[in-house]
Amino acid sequence: GAVVSQHPSWVICKSGTSVKIECRSLDFQATTMFWYRQFPKQSLMLMATSNEGSKATYEQGVEKDKFLINHASLTLSTLTVTSAHPEDSSFYICSASGDGAKNIQYFGAGTRLSVL
Amino acid sequence: GNSVTQMEGPVTLSEEAFLTINCTYTATGYPSLFWYVQYPGEGLQLLLKATKADDKGSNKGFEATYRKETTSFHLEKGSVQVSDSAVYFCALSRNSGGYQKVTFGTGTKLQVIP
């Protein structure tokens, strides 16, 4: 099956610093990638959708300048949390879908971000 | 808009018990339906799916049937194991702007005790 790798799995950073999270599709070309945020004991909240080579589409209420998304290739998307603060601490999950199975999203293992 | 409602947890069962986790949805047209499983500290894994009415998705002993008349996609397993302990998410996807947008339920935590 399709594999999506997300790195790092856990990151701790100081308040005010920026953190980059990578999402890679290992065995398929991901035309669309999605970034979700999950709060403890809650469901996934879609933050943004990105298509390769174009700007990401952000969901209402998500700060574009805070959460920078880049989808420069068909196998890599990055989420950068800029000037992170403790309230940004959360579990971030990416997913990817490709032309071969457009109605299925394959998920990464997630990144736990802790901002001190 | 689209929405998914699933039964609240946590659900606690003894090993080998029968499992049902209810899921109903609201959507226009014909969405695809999914069950995802999330083990502690991990991301989501696709458990099973169904893309049209009366389809039955199945995997690892779990089953769910796409019931359009009742707008439901209940998850069942005849005999649960301790290793099935996880959070289960029901979800639907619909085409939105050229890609499939997924709407998740709130998740149901399952705990299976020996």
Side-chain angles (χ1 to χ4, degrees), chain A residues 5-101:
Chain A
S5 173
Q6 192 171 337
H7 178 81
S9 57
W10 197 347
V11 57
I12 302 172
C13 69
K14 293 182 179 180
S15 185
T17 61
S18 294
V19 174
K20 180 184 284 188
I21 302 170
E22 292 187 349
C23 181
R24 294 180 183 273
S25 58
L26 299 186
D27 52 2
F28 68 103
Q29 293 188 325
T31 50
T32 307
M33 285 188 167
F34 306 83
W35 287 95
Y36 295 85
R37 183 173 180 176
Q38 186 181 30
F39 293 98
K41 299 182 181 180
Q42 295 187 26
S43 189
L44 282 72
M45 180 192 77
L46 179 64
M47 299 174 65
T49 303
S50 70
N51 291 295
E52 184 264 339
S54 60
K55 290 184 178 180
T57 302
Y58 289 81
E59 296 298 303
Q60 192 173 7
V62 178
E63 299 176 61
K64 300 179 183 180
D65 296 331
K66 177 75 170 176
F67 299 100
L68 301 179
I69 292 172
N70 182 282
H71 190 169
S73 77
L74 284 171
T75 59
L76 174 65
S77 176
T78 60
L79 167 67
T80 301
V81 183
T82 61
S83 186
H85 292 283
E87 59 266 29
D88 298 324
S89 298
S90 192
F91 195 55
Y92 294 88
I93 304 176
C94 73
S95 70
S97 64
D99 284 340

Side-chain angles (χ1 to χ4, degrees), chain B residues 5-46:
Chain B
T5 302
Q6 60 183 105
M7 63 188 290
E8 292 187 17
V11 174
T12 302
L13 295 173
S14 297
E15 206 165 20
E16 299 184 2
F18 184 86
L19 168 71
T20 299
I21 301 178
N22 290 336
C23 171
T24 57
Y25 68 90
T26 302
T28 55
Y30 301 91
S32 295
L33 302 175
F34 306 84
W35 277 99
Y36 285 89
V37 58
Q38 184 180 33
Y39 297 101
E42 299 183 12
L44 272 67
Q45 299 176 25
L46 177 64

Side-chain angles (χ1 to χ4, degrees), chain B residues 46-106:
Chain B
L46 177 64
L47 180 60
L48 54 84
K49 67 179 175 71
T51 57
K52 61 182 187 295
D54 298 326
D55 267 3
K56 177 186 283 187
S58 62
N59 185 25
K60 299 181 181 179
F62 291 90
E63 293 183 341
T65 301
Y66 190 145
R67 301 287 188 200
K68 187 159 179 63
E69 64 275 14
T70 54
T71 62
S72 65
F73 194 55
H74 305 321
L75 182 68
E76 296 182 336
K77 186 174 185 181
S79 176
V80 293
Q81 306 300 313
V82 173
S83 57
D84 294 327
S85 299
V87 180
Y88 292 82
F89 291 93
C90 185
L92 68 83
S93 74
R94 289 279 291 131
N95 187 285
S96 175
Y99 59 87
Q100 293 292 323
K101 188 168 184 177
V102 180
T103 302
F104 290 89
T106 53

